[in-house]
Amino acid sequence: MRTVLRVLAAAVAMVSVTAGAASATAGAARTWSTPIGVLASSNTGSGHYCSASVVDSPHHDVVLTAAHCVWNTDPTKTAVWFLPNFHNGSADDTYGRWRAVKIIVPPKYLQWRNSHPAPPGQDRTNPYDFAFLVVSGDVQGRTGALTPLTQVDAHSTPTTVAGYNHTSGNLSHCASTADGWKYEGNWYLKVNCPSVSLSGGTSGGPFIETNTNRVIGVMGGYQEGGPTPYTDYSSWFQGDFTAAYAAAERG
């Protein structure tokens, strides 16, 4: 399980509300990791519990994460802040502090969750473990964005997995390869990272096709990212991912 446990509000798959605008500085430099950040219930990042990344959208306001991070969070009752380029344990005003105004979770994620309880001693496995946040403001204009790549036929695909461990104030990442992996009839991405620990807090962090801006997965899926910190999993992006992404793009 790569999520830090916390108290959440009542379950919703899709909800919107007006929220405060972000603060940021124009003209900031960007790197491959600039669109990646943490999710937290405060705009300071204290107690950050998952990772996420900005993805390309017409309104420049869409963030990708794992569904198990936000599936039962109502942003009208519980604040969800996305803090990109979190560094040295603090939010970076250069790239802003962005509050979610809408959360989009695939309906099949909720259906699967209700019908497939986690086996004893395991975290929950779900082949639809991806979700989108729509934030208030032009986050993409500040950070840049990754481009989701669907229908990935991964076989030794060079991949960088990145996320924020909840015990660390800086981004952890691993350069390895992604392969398709089938479990109980559903496909997932699997990446071995024997030298980098990606554990609690890294859920929702992107799997990026190395040396591109294309995101092919997010930490989650099989046992919410995997039972060990050295082998990482993602649900397979598919038609349900495309539909949720389209809904997020519409705002």
Side-chain angles (χ1 to χ4, degrees):
M1 183 179 190
R2 310 303 174 88
T3 312
V4 180
L5 295 177
R6 63 193 184 101
V7 178
L8 298 173
V12 291
M14 186 182 302
V15 63
S16 63
V17 60
T18 301
S23 166
T25 303
R30 299 173 181 172
T31 69
W32 70 271
S33 63
T34 307
I36 306 170
V38 300
L39 299 183
S41 57
S42 75
N43 65 1
T44 66
S46 176
H48 57 92
Y49 52 86
C50 275
S51 301
S53 57
V54 181
V55 291
D56 189 53
S57 66
H59 303 296
H60 291 188
D61 57 358
V62 176
V63 174
L64 171 65
T65 190
H68 74 263
C69 293
V70 295
W71 70 276
N72 60 347
T73 305
D74 180 347
T76 68
K77 299 174 182 178
T78 302
V80 179
W81 288 89
F82 171 65
L83 307 171
N85 202 47
F86 197 72
H87 189 66
N88 290 333
S90 63
D92 185 347
D93 279 329
T94 303
Y95 299 100
R97 307 168 192 238
W98 310 87
R99 186 168 177 177
V101 297
K102 181 181 288 187
I103 294 174
I104 297 171
V105 175
K108 284 187 178 178
Y109 174 84
L110 299 174
Q111 295 166 10
W112 187 276
R113 186 179 181 96
N114 290 334
S115 61
H116 293 76
Q122 294 185 17
D123 291 314
R124 193 181 304 270
T125 293
N126 193 310
Y128 308 100
D129 195 4
F130 35 76
F132 295 91
L133 312 179
V134 179
V135 301
S136 178
D138 182 4
V139 61
Q140 182 175 334
R142 302 299 187 187
T143 65
L146 304 175
T147 301
L149 183 65
T150 58
Q151 299 180 345
V152 178
D153 184 16
H155 179 70
S156 297
T157 301
T159 301
T160 299
V161 181
Y164 286 85
N165 292 303
H166 73 275
T167 56
S168 172
N170 295 307
L171 185 70
S172 297
H173 60 92
C174 158
S176 185
T177 58
D179 289 286
W181 181 75
K182 201 169 189 178
Y183 177 76
E184 294 186 347
N186 294 291
W187 283 98
Y188 300 84
L189 289 182
K190 179 179 180 180
V191 178
N192 291 316
C193 289
S195 61
V196 178
S197 176
L198 295 168
S199 54
T202 60
S203 285
F207 287 30
I208 305 170
E209 189 178 50
T210 302
N211 295 323
T212 77
N213 71 336
R214 302 197 297 187
V215 57
I216 62 175
V218 295
M219 185 82 73
Y222 175 66
Q223 292 199 42
E224 298 185 349
T228 76
Y230 301 106
T231 303
D232 310 313
Y233 298 87
S234 169
S235 295
W236 195 270
F237 290 176
Q238 54 193 278
D240 295 273
F241 177 91
T242 303
Y245 184 28
E249 289 182 303
R250 291 191 294 271

